[in-house]
C-alpha cells in the first residue's frame, strides 16, 4: 500500500461509509521492520477528520517526511498519536501523543545548525554525529502551535532535557539543558 510518504505491506483494515462519516474502524500495516495500527474517521458535515495511531519499530524517516521536516534523526520509533484536523485549514490540528526511540542517531548537519550559534561558531565541541540510547518526547498539537512539554535524550556524549513550543513556520521558545561528557 502506497500513501506517500508512507509505504507498507500486509495492510488489513475495516472500512465503512455512511451519509455522515466514512473511514477505517481499524487498520494495521507493516512499515519497514515495524507495525502501525489505528483508526481514521472522516466527518463530512464538519469537513474534518480524526485519526489515532500506535506504532512499534517504525523508521523515523516516515514521520519526518510526513511532517515535512528535515530528517534530523535516524532509527526506529515507537509511539502513539490522536488528533483532529479541519480539511480546509492545515493549521487546525488539535491532539496529543508521544514517541520513543532507542539506539538512534541525530544528523550531524542538523546538530551543527542547531548549536552553532550557541557555541559561538566552535562546532568542534560537537561529535561528528550523535548516537543516542534513548529519546523520549510528549507532544501536544494546538492549532499551529506544537508543544513538547518534556524531551529527554541520553547518549554516551551528552544528556539533554528540554521543554517548550514552536509555531509552525514561526518562532520557537524552548528551555534546553545540555550536559556534555
Amino acid at each position: 500500500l502506497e500513501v506517500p510518504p508512507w509505504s507498507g505491506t500486509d495492510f488489513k483494515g475495516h472500512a465503512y461509509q455512511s451519509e455522515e462519516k466514512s473511514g477505517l474502524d481499524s487498520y494495521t500495516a507493516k512499515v519497514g521492520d515495524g507495525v502501525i495500527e489505528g483508526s481514521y474517521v472522516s466527518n463530512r458535515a464538519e469537513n474534518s477528520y480524526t485519526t489515532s495511531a500506535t506504532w512499534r519499530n517504525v523508521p523515523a524517516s516516515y514521520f519526518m517526511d510526513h511532517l515535512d521536516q528535515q530528517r534530523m534523526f535516524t532509527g526506529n520509533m515507537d509511539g502513539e498519536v490522536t488528533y483532529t484536523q479541519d480539511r480546509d485549514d492545515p493549521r487546525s490540528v488539535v491532539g496529543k501523543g508521544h514517541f520513543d526511540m532507542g539506539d538512534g542517531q541525530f544528523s550531524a548537519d542538523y546538530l551543527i545548525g542547531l548549536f552553532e550559534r550557541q557555541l559561538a561558531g566552535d562546532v568542534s565541541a560537537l561529535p561528528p554525529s550523535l548516537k543516542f540510547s534513548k529519546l523520549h518526547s510528549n507532544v501536544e498539537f494546538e492549532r499551529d502551535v506544537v508543544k513538547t512539554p518534556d524531551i529527554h535524550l541520553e547518549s554516551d556524549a551528552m544528556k539533554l532535557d528540554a521543554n517548550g513550543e514552536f509555531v509552525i513556520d514561526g518562532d520557537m521558545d524552548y528551555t534546553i539543558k545540555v550536559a556534555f561528557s
Side-chain angles (χ1 to χ4, degrees), residues 12 17-18 20 50 52 54-55 63 65 69 75 89 92 96 118 125 142 149 167:
K12 294 178 182 143
Q17 183 172 338
S18 71
E20 299 86 28
T50 299
S52 292
T54 302
W55 57 91
F63 297 97
D65 292 348
Q69 296 292 315
D89 183 1
S92 65
K96 64 181 180 175
Q118 287 81 359
E142 191 175 306
V167 177

Side-chain angles (χ1 to χ4, degrees), residues 16-18 20-24 40-44:
Y16 67 95
Q17 183 172 338
S18 71
E20 299 86 28
K21 296 180 180 182
S22 62
L24 296 164
Y40 174 86
V41 178
S42 177
N43 185 320
R44 290 189 180 131

Side-chain angles (χ1 to χ4, degrees), residues 108-129 180:
D109 292 338
Y110 177 77
L111 283 176
I112 288 169
L114 185 63
F115 290 115
E116 190 168 32
R117 283 176 279 167
Q118 287 81 359
L119 297 173
D122 184 14
V123 295
S124 63
L126 290 172
S129 65
F180 289 99

Side-chain angles (χ1 to χ4, degrees), residues 27 36-41 49-55 63 66 79-85 92-99 138-143:
Y27 67 85
I36 188 166
E37 53 193 22
S39 64
Y40 174 86
V41 178
Y49 67 91
T50 299
T51 188
S52 292
T54 302
W55 57 91
F63 297 97
H66 181 88
E80 65 180 302
V81 68
T82 298
Y83 65 91
T84 299
Q85 185 171 9
S92 65
V93 67
V94 175
K96 64 181 180 175
H98 71 87
F99 66 87
N138 287 315
V139 63
E140 300 167 2
F141 310 106
E142 191 175 306
R143 310 281 178 234

Side-chain angles (χ1 to χ4, degrees), residues 63-178:
F63 297 97
M64 298 293 95
D65 292 348
H66 181 88
L67 296 170
D68 198 25
Q69 296 292 315
Q70 173 179 316
R71 289 189 179 183
M72 62 188 86
F73 48 91
T74 57
N76 290 339
M77 182 182 293
D78 299 335
E80 65 180 302
V81 68
T82 298
Y83 65 91
T84 299
Q85 185 171 9
D86 184 320
R87 291 187 185 285
D88 295 328
D89 183 1
R91 295 178 182 243
S92 65
V93 67
V94 175
K96 64 181 180 175
H98 71 87
F99 66 87
D100 293 280
M101 290 181 69
D103 300 321
Q105 183 171 325
F106 270 98
S107 156
D109 292 338
Y110 177 77
L111 283 176
I112 288 169
L114 185 63
F115 290 115
E116 190 168 32
R117 283 176 279 167
Q118 287 81 359
L119 297 173
D122 184 14
V123 295
S124 63
L126 290 172
S129 65
L130 176 62
K131 292 182 180 183
F132 56 85
S133 57
K134 181 179 180 180
L135 174 63
H136 168 81
S137 181
N138 287 315
V139 63
E140 300 167 2
F141 310 106
E142 191 175 306
R143 310 281 178 234
D144 63 346
V145 177
V146 178
K147 299 177 181 182
T148 50
D150 62 275
I151 300 171
H152 179 73
L153 173 104
E154 290 181 22
S155 78
D156 291 341
M158 72 180 225
K159 287 188 179 183
L160 179 143
D161 286 293
N163 64 65
E165 63 185 45
F166 65 91
V167 177
I168 296 172
D169 297 326
D171 293 336
M172 297 179 81
D173 182 15
Y174 274 85
T175 301
I176 303 172
K177 297 177 184 177
V178 180

